[in-house]
Amino acid sequence: MEIVGMLVNLAKKHEVAEPWYPRSDLKARARVDLVLHWFHGAVRKSMTPLVVEKVLFGVFGVTPNDLFAQKYLADSKKALNTLEDIFLSNTKFVAGDEISVADLLVSAEIEMLCIMKKEATGICMAELLEPHPKGFHLSPVRVSYKSTGEPLPDTS
């Protein structure tokens, strides 16, 4: 939760541009705050441990716990469903129709999944995101693929 607190504090202290962290529109700010706190409890709580279990443990020669990895994978899928079905159901970005710091946090977490190579982890990032076309745009590296209709980049 530290990152959320730090970002909010920095945004207030340095008066960042309005869409990134709204100051004048209290409803917009509440929506950004809602997404930031949901992010930590749902997205970060599932996706970060998934990458640790499936990628980082292997780098350090530690055998991953497949039961934990499967739980984190299921939780990650739930978080992606919530992201698409609730936060992106009627808006262009996760906290509304303008980009915000919430989009940066969520997109960074989704992009982190790119380091999972299918042959090493058994999980393919493209397959994980494929059922979530609205959330797909949050992965900045892949935006152009969605808009051009090109096939997903090979992440295996």
Side-chain angles (χ1 to χ4, degrees):
M1 214 137 153
E2 299 84 15
I3 188 67
V4 171
M6 289 187 304
L7 276 174
V8 169
N9 185 45
L10 288 170
K12 289 177 180 178
K13 180 178 179 180
H14 297 287
E15 298 183 5
V16 298
E18 191 66 25
W20 293 103
Y21 191 75
R23 291 182 310 282
S24 60
D25 183 345
L26 296 180
K27 283 186 179 181
R29 184 185 332 165
R31 179 86 174 168
V32 170
D33 287 342
L34 170 72
V35 174
L36 289 173
H37 292 288
W38 168 80
F39 157 83
H40 186 73
V43 177
R44 169 82 31 112
K45 184 179 176 183
S46 61
M47 292 183 190
T48 298
L50 178 61
V51 171
V52 169
E53 283 287 338
K54 295 304 256 177
V55 178
L56 293 181
F57 279 3
V59 169
F60 295 108
V62 176
T63 303
N65 183 323
D66 284 333
L67 288 176
F68 286 148
Q70 289 306 315
K71 178 198 178 316
Y72 297 137
L73 178 60
D75 290 348
S76 294
K77 288 178 180 180
K78 282 184 201 173
L80 288 169
N81 285 336
T82 300
L83 178 68
E84 183 157 1
D85 296 343
I86 294 175
F87 293 108
L88 291 169
S89 64
N90 296 315
T91 61
K92 193 173 175 181
F93 297 99
V94 294
D97 288 323
E98 294 190 74
I99 197 164
S100 71
V101 293
D103 294 283
L104 296 178
L105 285 180
V106 173
S107 67
E109 200 75 16
I110 290 173
E111 196 61 28
M112 180 179 65
L113 297 175
C114 292
I115 65 173
M116 293 195 308
K117 302 294 183 190
K118 188 166 186 166
E119 66 274 359
T121 66
I123 300 169
C124 178
M125 185 262 195
E127 291 171 5
L128 188 59
L129 285 180
E130 191 172 29
H132 306 283
K134 292 178 185 174
F136 188 71
H137 84 275
L138 293 173
S139 177
V141 172
R142 287 158 182 74
V143 170
S144 62
Y145 290 95
K146 181 181 178 194
S147 62
T148 62
E150 294 180 36
L152 292 171
D154 182 17
T155 58
S156 58

